[in-house]
Amino acid sequence: MSSQNKFKIFILGQCIASAAGVDERASYPELIRRFLSLRFPELFFETSVLPLLHPTGLKALIRSCLPSQPDVILLSLPAVFASIPYRANHIYLQAPEIMRVARKFVQKIESRIRSDSALAKLFDRRAALMPTSVIAPLGIAEYESLVAEAIAFCKGASDCRIILLGPGGFNEDTETSDLKSPEFCSEVNQMILRVGEKYSLPVINAYDWVTAQGGKVFQRGNHRWNEAAHEAIAREIESVIAAHIKFYP
């Protein structure tokens, strides 16, 4: 393990992983930690959620995690990257560890300068130092290639366990247009299942489970999960990680 009695889980994902719309205590990253702690009280579990801004930066994001010696990396791979154009920060895509340090610094000084109007105006222009651009929707084959490249790199550079989590489903009652259709999401899900089979990785097939539940597992008006879905998927992920721990050298 990464250190004595400590088990580190890194979750690379987007809004669902970051508990958008639900209490953080009810989010699947936190529930995984709690469920595993109950099953293995002799271990200390640490979960870290890192934003996956775009698959073009996935390899760099994984590389930035490896110095922390994670035991498990969970890749949450939504369909949205293949559905709509996406704006991403180039520095984060290429060197996410630098942006994480910068973000902490910015948060530290932000509250101190709001009282000074001149400094506040200067601070509001910080976006000029953070170059972004809009990336066109990925073809599914391109998406697959980027994920496969990142996984191959991780397997060659680390012995951490990789788990894949596919798209989170399609809410027929959504008020957003960031996903094309249920059929399109299913295509992305099948792509992730292929990658999992190719590299002999466990895949949490959230898409099929969520689809079978209907709209009752979504928050109102969007594709994000409600607390019931977070708990169900957390239990699936926890069981996969628990099986890994039992056979951990």
Side-chain angles (χ1 to χ4, degrees):
M1 296 186 183
S2 50
S3 62
Q4 188 175 10
N5 295 331
K6 179 181 284 190
F7 195 93
K8 295 182 180 180
I9 303 167
F10 278 46
I11 298 171
L12 314 185
Q14 285 214 314
C15 56
I16 292 178
S18 62
V22 300
D23 190 296
E24 186 175 356
R25 294 170 296 180
S27 67
Y28 79 81
E30 173 60 17
L31 291 175
I32 292 168
R33 188 194 64 78
R34 284 166 45 195
F35 294 159
L36 287 168
S37 296
L38 289 172
R39 186 182 293 215
F40 302 99
E42 72 279 10
L43 298 178
F44 175 78
F45 291 92
E46 180 179 283
T47 55
S48 299
V49 179
L50 302 180
L52 171 59
L53 293 194
H54 196 269
T56 52
L58 179 56
K59 182 178 176 180
L61 184 57
I62 289 176
R63 183 188 294 114
S64 76
C65 296
L66 296 186
S68 298
Q69 298 182 308
D71 296 288
V72 167
I73 292 180
L74 173 71
L75 302 182
S76 177
L77 301 166
V80 67
F81 297 124
S83 180
I84 61 172
Y86 226 81
R87 180 172 293 278
N89 182 301
H90 291 299
I91 298 176
Y92 190 92
L93 292 180
Q94 298 174 31
E97 66 281 3
I98 293 176
M99 286 303 298
R100 289 198 291 271
V101 172
R103 185 176 292 111
K104 290 180 181 179
F105 175 73
V106 168
Q107 291 171 345
K108 187 175 181 179
I109 67 171
E110 186 171 17
S111 61
R112 297 189 178 186
I113 67 173
R114 288 302 180 187
S115 59
D116 186 306
S117 59
L119 285 175
K121 290 179 181 179
L122 180 63
F123 187 79
D124 286 337
R125 295 172 61 187
R126 67 192 184 278
L129 303 176
M130 300 180 181
T132 65
S133 67
V134 175
I135 303 174
L138 297 172
I140 291 180
E142 183 182 5
Y143 195 169
E144 183 170 356
S145 177
L146 289 168
V147 173
E149 179 185 6
I151 290 172
F153 166 76
C154 188
K155 290 174 73 71
S158 171
D159 60 358
C160 73
R161 183 67 159 160
I162 304 170
I163 300 172
L164 304 182
L165 172 61
F170 188 97
N171 184 3
E172 297 282 0
D173 298 320
T174 184
E175 298 170 359
T176 64
S177 58
D178 53 354
L179 295 177
K180 293 180 181 178
S181 67
E183 293 76 20
F184 176 78
C185 293
S186 180
E187 288 184 46
V188 176
N189 191 55
Q190 291 301 313
M191 176 271 287
I192 293 167
L193 291 171
R194 287 197 303 272
V195 173
E197 182 177 8
K198 177 180 179 179
Y199 289 97
S200 300
L201 302 177
V203 180
I204 308 299
N205 192 343
Y207 179 80
D208 283 353
W209 180 85
V210 168
T211 300
Q213 306 308 305
K216 64 184 179 181
V217 294
F218 292 108
Q219 297 175 39
R220 184 182 298 274
N222 61 62
H223 300 295
R224 297 169 183 165
W225 298 337
N226 61 21
E227 292 185 359
H230 274 270
E231 180 174 352
I233 298 302
R235 292 194 182 278
E236 288 293 316
I237 298 170
E238 182 258 354
S239 66
V240 171
I241 295 176
H244 174 57
I245 292 173
K246 289 178 181 178
F247 295 100
Y248 207 97

